[in-house]
Amino acid sequence: MIRQLYSAAAALAGEGASDKVVPGTGPAAWLTVFVAAVMGFLAVFSMALAVSTDRLAERWSADLGRVATVQVTGTPDTLDALTDATMRILEETPGVAFARMLSDEEQAALLEPWLGPDLPFDTLPVPRLIEVVPGNPPYDVEGLGLRLAGELPGVRLDDHGRWRAPLVAAATRIRTLGYVALGLIAAATAALVVLATRSTLATNAPVIEVLRLLGARDAFIARAFVRRLTLRTGLGAVVGASLAASALALVPAPPDQSGLLVDLGFQGWQWIWPIAVPFGAAFIAFWATRQSTLSRLRGSM
Amino acid sequence: MLPATGTTEEPGVLDLSSVDYAYGDAMLLSDMNVRMEPGGFYFLTGPSGAGKTTFLKLCYLDLVPTSGDLLVFGKRREAMDRDAIARTRRRIGIIHQDCQFIDHLNVYDNVTLPLQVAGRDPGAERASLTELLRWVGLDHKMTSLPPQLSGGERQRAALARAVITAPDLILADEPTGNVDWEMSERLLSLLIELNQLGKTIVLATHDLPLIRSAKARVRTRVLRLKGGELREAGADL
């Protein structure tokens, strides 16, 4: 299968005059394809990790500014009055698009994971919760918080920033790590190609000697090696990236898209990245092989 | 300097003036002075280890003189960059004793390699290439791999490869070293034919009967290397 793919790729690229002088197979040939496939696989996963956490960070950032909650705490005698006063302040605050008190059923649903069903709201000192949706431009979070706390003791504005912000920071760092891993994979691929090139050059030293004696320019000799190693790396990366993309497509999506989890993988136009990986690998191989080959040839007579 | 046999107006194919070549502390060639004219037929003889191969390597720019002036086709070795050296080598056909083929390419591809190196399409010249292989008696071996050839066939394939681009100079290093007398005579005849077409031939050999055979058929100069020094051979040859 891989051999057929390679032949097809070679045919598509067109067999150059210098290509035949380098043997099609050798100790480094299939090893290069295999390692390039592994690198391609890892590169796609690193990229998936990076774009997924990027998506997660963006979503959490958006949530951070999207909604806030006002907690109204008081005795059973004062709770209704405090709630009404809070609603009045929210309604007259510029930048508040919408404020709504959660019903007992909604609050029960929020507390059910921790306190279980059938919560006796009548007997428990459960605070009232008011959902606040900002307008455009949004309200002054700090100013509103200070006013509520100052005018209505027991009323507190929670913009969720305390726990959302560290998660966003963590997601941003994971994204950065993904890109760093991608850079390391690219560097490792370049190093691998350089090693494979040196091995191939050493194996084919007699061929190079013959070509030089026949008057071949360095560019002619380099072309043969560059083409072969670029194709091998590109082919390996195609196989690896395809396997990784298939694996990602099979990863089940989390049930709750608005929660902490994010589906690992690409969405929409992001699928261009796994397609770009083989091209990137081939470019790295082209550059590394050419530099390495010309450097070696210039180092000889 | 050893005297020239032709006019000195045009540059020689090879001009060596006070050329030395040392490898480490060992002086392999000393005070080489010779001028080789276009269309000349030169024998380079001497015992094994006299420096014949080293001399030829200097001529095809594979080695750099330790001192002295080396001009190939009138151009100074020191003035050539890598591309200029490659271009100069394309004007030189080289026949090695061990032939130096690329073993995974068949005879046809090996022989046409100089054309590919020069950027020419062998397919466009297939008829003349077939004629060339027929000339050296290898038209029936075009698809054979070099390891499948006999010693004589390898030498003839090397000769075909050396002349395929019609080079101005042909350097042959012991081309008859691994073949019988009959094949040596046949190779010599092919080289004499090329010389009569105006090609300069420099043939390194210690095969004295071959030199005598050539002197009987064509005007030659015989240079002898001994102890790292170059001398005109005596009348015994």
Side-chain angles (χ1 to χ4, degrees), chain B residues 139-229:
Chain B
D139 51 320
H140 62 294
K141 294 277 187 178
M142 282 167 51
T143 56
S144 300
L145 295 173
Q148 297 169 328
L149 301 180
S150 68
E153 287 170 335
R154 287 171 66 85
Q155 292 293 357
R156 281 181 281 147
L159 177 61
R161 187 181 64 182
V163 302
I164 195 165
T165 54
D168 301 307
L169 169 64
I170 294 166
L171 303 175
D173 188 5
E174 302 280 7
T176 60
N178 295 324
V179 297
D180 58 25
W181 172 248
E182 188 182 345
M183 185 54 66
S184 297
E185 277 290 305
R186 189 167 173 187
L187 283 166
L188 179 64
S189 298
L190 294 173
L191 288 169
I192 288 173
E193 274 188 60
L194 290 167
N195 180 241
Q196 288 167 345
L197 291 172
K199 309 299 179 191
T200 307
I201 312 286
V202 180
L203 200 163
T205 181
H206 59 265
D207 186 348
L208 296 185
L210 186 78
I211 298 173
R212 292 190 186 109
S213 175
K215 283 172 72 79
R217 295 153 65 184
V218 67
R219 186 181 178 194
T220 64
R221 283 182 68 197
V222 183
L223 308 172
R224 175 175 284 168
L225 265 171
K226 192 171 183 183
E229 295 182 352

Side-chain angles (χ1 to χ4, degrees), chain A residues 16-18 20-24 204 206-207 209-220 297-301, chain B residues 60-64 77 82-83 85-87 89-90 92 94 96 100-102 104-105 109-110 113-114 116-117 161:
Chain A
S18 60
K20 285 194 293 187
V21 300
V22 182
N204 291 284
V207 172
E209 179 65 14
V210 170
L211 291 173
R212 286 177 58 246
L213 292 181
L214 297 179
R217 294 169 62 233
D218 290 343
F220 180 94
L297 290 174
R298 285 169 188 151
S300 63
M301 271 287 291
Chain B
Y60 63 75
L61 308 171
D62 199 32
L63 295 176
V64 182
R77 169 68 174 81
R82 292 181 67 83
D83 280 353
I85 289 173
R87 281 195 300 274
R89 282 182 180 152
R90 288 181 210 163
I92 304 173
I94 303 166
H96 281 274
Q100 294 200 333
F101 288 117
I102 296 177
H104 66 274
L105 297 183
D109 286 335
N110 264 292
L113 207 49
Q116 296 180 30
V117 162
R161 187 181 64 182

Side-chain angles (χ1 to χ4, degrees), chain A residues 6 18 34-35 56 78 103 198 206 208 259 287-288:
Chain A
Y6 179 76
S18 60
F34 172 72
V35 179
L56 188 64
T78 60
S103 65
R198 290 184 178 183
I208 294 170
W287 179 80

Side-chain angles (χ1 to χ4, degrees), chain A residues 21-59:
Chain A
V21 300
V22 182
T25 55
W30 296 112
L31 192 62
T32 308
V33 175
F34 172 72
V35 179
V38 172
M39 293 297 182
F41 190 92
L42 294 175
V44 169
F45 258 93
S46 298
M47 199 166 275
L49 179 70
V51 298
S52 299
T53 50
D54 191 36
R55 221 163 40 230
L56 188 64
E58 275 181 19
R59 197 163 73 206

Side-chain angles (χ1 to χ4, degrees), chain A residues 72-74 79 107 111 115 119-129:
Chain A
V72 183
T73 311
L79 195 58
Q107 284 197 240
L111 294 171
L115 301 178
L119 202 61
F121 271 89
D122 299 339
T123 56
L124 280 176
V126 178
R128 293 263 170 83
L129 297 180

